[in-house]
Amino acid sequence: DTAVSQTPKYLVTQMGNDKSIKCEQNLGHDTMYWYKQDSKKFLKIMFSYNNKELIINETVPNRFSPKSPDKAHLNLHINSLELGDSAVYFCASSQDLPTGGRGNQPQHFGDGTRLSIL
Amino acid sequence: AQSVAQPEDQVNVAEGNPLTVKCTYSVSGNPYLFWYVQYPNRGLQFLLKYITGDNLVKGSYGFEAEFNKSQTSFHLKKPSALVSDSALYFCAVIGNTPLVFGKGTRLSVIA
């Protein structure tokens, strides 16, 4: 069974469209994340949820809106897509909070969604 | 703010030789340090971590890393490289802010 699964794997769409990426984890973890990996492979955290509550919201355009219906799911909706949004988006999960004394648990990553904006 | 530096974009090593992938960090307080590996078209996979205790940490696939507090380093090592170790390696640190990744080092093991 895949521990962290994302759909779709590939997303090709035109500028200005709205799209969603879904993520599910079956590890029983409390915390989930969205990361963006750019063309130079640089990885940056975007959002994190702990038990359905938003706990990390990095400097991301408000066109990006995460939603966590339950602690096993974290979706990412993107409005008005721009060329600069082209990247690979990774979902991840961890047992506990991502900072401080409880941040010592490894994160488990999905295989990514490759978003290409035409 | 915490940060991680991986000074080498690319490391080339012959199969069977030892390998080292370098990482230095900056964080206030005690660091939690991680190494992850990324194969093509895949997500990151956890290799090993340092939380506290023994400075030499052993992880998956025969990898190990040495925590050096005075040099603020956490270099990844393997005594004998395999062609299948060729991948992108990320060092990461957690302090009082969420996980911060280095820019990655591409390891090529040549047969």
Side-chain angles (χ1 to χ4, degrees), chain A residues 8 22 37 42 51 67 73-74 83 88 92 104 107:
Chain A
K22 295 187 175 183
Q37 186 174 46
F42 184 69
N51 280 315
K67 277 208 171 80
H73 295 85
L74 179 61
L83 289 175
V88 182
N104 60 16
Q107 294 182 16

Side-chain angles (χ1 to χ4, degrees), chain A residues 10-29:
Chain A
Y10 298 96
L11 194 47
V12 181
T13 190
Q14 292 195 324
M15 220 165 40
N17 284 352
D18 303 338
K19 289 292 177 188
S20 291
I21 307 171
K22 295 187 175 183
C23 179
E24 176 181 3
Q25 56 96 3
N26 63 6
L27 297 166
H29 288 169

